[in-house]
Amino acid sequence: MSTTATSLGLTASLVRGAVTSPFKRAGRPGAALPADRLVARDVRIAPGPLASYSRICGFSEPDTLPLTYPHVLGFPLAMRLMTGRSFPLPVVGLVHTWIEITRHRAPHPTEVLELTVYADALAPHRRGTEVTMVTEARSGGEVVWESRSGYLSRHSTRGAPPAAEAGPPALPVVELPATAEWRLPGDLGRRYGAASGDRNPIHLYRLTARLFGFPRAIAHGMWTVARCLAETAEPGRIRYVRADFRAPVLLPATVTYAVDGAGTAFQLRSGAGRVHLTGTTARDGARPES
C-alpha cells in the first residue's frame, strides 16, 4: 500500500514517537513490519537549506547534490513510518547502526524528486532486533538514488539462538593513516539539526542527552558520514558508500579522519584509538568487495 505524504515535518513524528514507544515491546514473537510505502511527490530542494547543509558538512562543489542529502530529505518520511502505530519497534532508543547509499545517477539540485520510504526487513540481532529501512529517490519515474539503513532496538536476547543478523556484514576495523584532525564544538548537534531538521534531543544539549543515557550531546551519525565524504577528493564522483556506526562521538570532541592509500576506505576515531565510524566508497558505481 502506498500513502502520499503531505507533510515532511520531523517534530510531530518525534513527539508521536515519545508517546507511542512505551506501548511497544521489541522482540515480541510474531512481530511484523507495516506494508505501507510512504511517498512524497514533487519534492523540490530549497537552495537555502541545501547551502546550510553543505556548509556544516564541508561540501564545496557547486551545482552538486551531496550524496547524503536525499537521506536528509527522506528521513522525515522514515520517522513518520517508524513512529506509526503498526511499526513494531519503539523509536525511542533506536540506534542507527549502518547505512548503504547508491547513487545511480547524480540528480541536479533543481530536479523535482519523488521519495519513497518503506521498512524492508526485521531480523534478530545479537543485541536485540534490527530493522532495515529503505529510501528511494526518483526523477521522471527513474530511481536515481537509494539507501538502506539498519536501526537496532536493543533488548535482552538471553536464551535466544545465535542471530543471523540483517544487512551486509560489518566492515573490518583496520587502523588507517590519519590525514586530518577536526575539533568539533559542543553546539555541532544543534547546528546540524538546524540544517537537517533532525533535532533529536540526544544531539542538542547535555541535559537532554542525559535523559537518554548519554553524559553529553552526541554528534549525528549522518553528519560524521557526510563530513568524511566531503573530505575526499571530488566527493561528487562518489557513487556508493557503506558506513558502520561503531561508537557515538560525545561533544565537544577532537576526532581524527583517516583514509587508505586508494582513498576508498575511511574511518573516524578519537583518543586511545576508539573508532567511531568505518566506511568504504566506490566511484564507478560498482560495490566494493566486503
Side-chain angles (χ1 to χ4, degrees), residues 37 102-107 111 113-116 118 134-147:
R37 289 178 176 242
T102 303
R103 184 164 61 188
H104 302 287
R105 175 179 67 75
E111 282 190 59
L113 300 176
E114 177 180 287
L115 301 176
T116 302
Y118 60 94
V134 178
T135 302
E136 299 170 342
R138 288 176 170 81
S139 179
E142 170 195 12
V143 176
V144 296
W145 181 101
E146 60 184 312
S147 73

Side-chain angles (χ1 to χ4, degrees), residues 62-209:
D63 300 322
T64 300
L65 195 68
L67 183 66
T68 48
Y69 197 65
H71 180 86
V72 171
L73 297 175
F75 188 62
L77 281 179
M79 282 295 295
R80 179 176 170 181
L81 184 61
M82 290 191 290
T83 58
R85 189 174 300 174
S86 60
F87 192 78
L89 303 179
V91 73
V92 173
L94 213 58
V95 178
H96 197 180
T97 50
W98 57 270
I99 186 169
E100 281 189 315
I101 299 175
T102 303
R103 184 164 61 188
H104 302 287
R105 175 179 67 75
H108 193 272
T110 59
E111 282 190 59
V112 179
L113 300 176
E114 177 180 287
L115 301 176
T116 302
V117 171
Y118 60 94
D120 184 56
L122 191 68
H125 185 282
R126 68 183 185 280
R127 293 188 293 165
T129 301
E130 187 174 78
V131 62
T132 299
M133 301 294 296
V134 178
T135 302
E136 299 170 342
R138 288 176 170 81
S139 179
E142 170 195 12
V143 176
V144 296
W145 181 101
E146 60 184 312
S147 73
R148 298 175 65 83
S149 287
Y151 294 92
L152 173 65
S153 181
R154 291 176 290 191
H155 59 82
S156 174
T157 57
R158 187 176 302 171
E165 296 175 11
L171 299 170
V173 178
V174 178
E175 186 167 329
L176 303 175
T179 61
E181 184 177 85
W182 304 327
R183 289 179 171 82
L184 312 184
D187 67 347
L188 176 62
R190 297 193 293 276
R191 292 167 57 198
Y192 179 81
S196 67
D198 183 357
R199 294 182 173 87
N200 188 317
I202 64 175
H203 303 300
L204 303 182
Y205 300 97
R206 181 189 297 264
L207 179 60
T208 55

